[in-house]
Amino acid sequence: MGPNDAQVVRVFSREPGSPISDVTLDPGQNGEIVLEAEAGRTLHQNGGRYTVTLVVRDLSDGSAIPVTGATVVRGNFLDANWPGLAARFTFAMSDVTLKAHAGSIAQAYGSVVYGTGEPGATFALSQPFQILPQ
């Protein structure tokens, strides 16, 4: 990655607040998808724009799994969401949503579009994860 680039480092599922990824989510409690990304020093220090987007798909039936709140985060580097070179964006999935997809295999897709004049983009997929049957 160059000084004018950004990169999604990884996208993963986890139990709420856990420091590690988890490839199984319990539909009896909330779950989270985390997108970790880095920005090059020049891009970040110049306060360029970014847009983080997350989509979660149920691979078993092809439907989208909604997250709680926004699936798109827009801002400028150096803002409260991306204050340092590395950033972490956390998206919540409610237990009600997970219960509706219990027994399914799912995967999260994350992207960051960055820059102003000539924007760039970076993408990553999570490891597939299982929403446990009830």
Side-chain angles (χ1 to χ4, degrees):
M1 181 179 78
N4 293 309
D5 298 319
Q7 182 174 2
V8 176
V9 176
R10 70 179 179 149
V11 179
F12 62 94
S13 56
R14 71 177 187 187
E15 292 181 7
S18 175
I20 60 172
S21 66
D22 193 344
V23 294
T24 58
L25 294 180
D26 179 355
Q29 64 180 359
N30 295 336
E32 291 180 341
I33 302 295
V34 178
L35 183 148
E36 294 178 340
E38 296 178 349
R41 188 168 304 282
T42 303
L43 175 67
H44 189 266
Q45 302 235 339
N46 287 333
R49 285 186 239 151
Y50 67 83
T51 301
V52 175
T53 305
L54 181 85
V55 174
V56 183
R57 290 195 51 101
D58 183 323
L59 298 177
S60 300
D61 67 12
S63 66
I65 299 175
V67 299
T68 304
T71 58
V72 176
V73 179
R74 289 184 175 88
N76 292 334
F77 295 107
L78 297 171
D79 69 13
N81 291 321
W82 204 319
L85 296 179
R88 178 178 276 196
F89 298 86
T90 303
F91 302 87
M93 293 182 296
S94 74
D95 60 338
V96 172
T97 296
L98 293 177
K99 284 177 187 166
H101 294 271
S104 294
I105 297 172
Q107 190 167 33
Y109 301 73
S111 72
V112 175
V113 175
Y114 59 90
T116 49
E118 293 183 34
T122 175
F123 302 88
L125 299 171
S126 73
Q127 180 176 1
F129 58 94
Q130 176 83 50
I131 302 169
L132 296 173
Q134 292 187 342

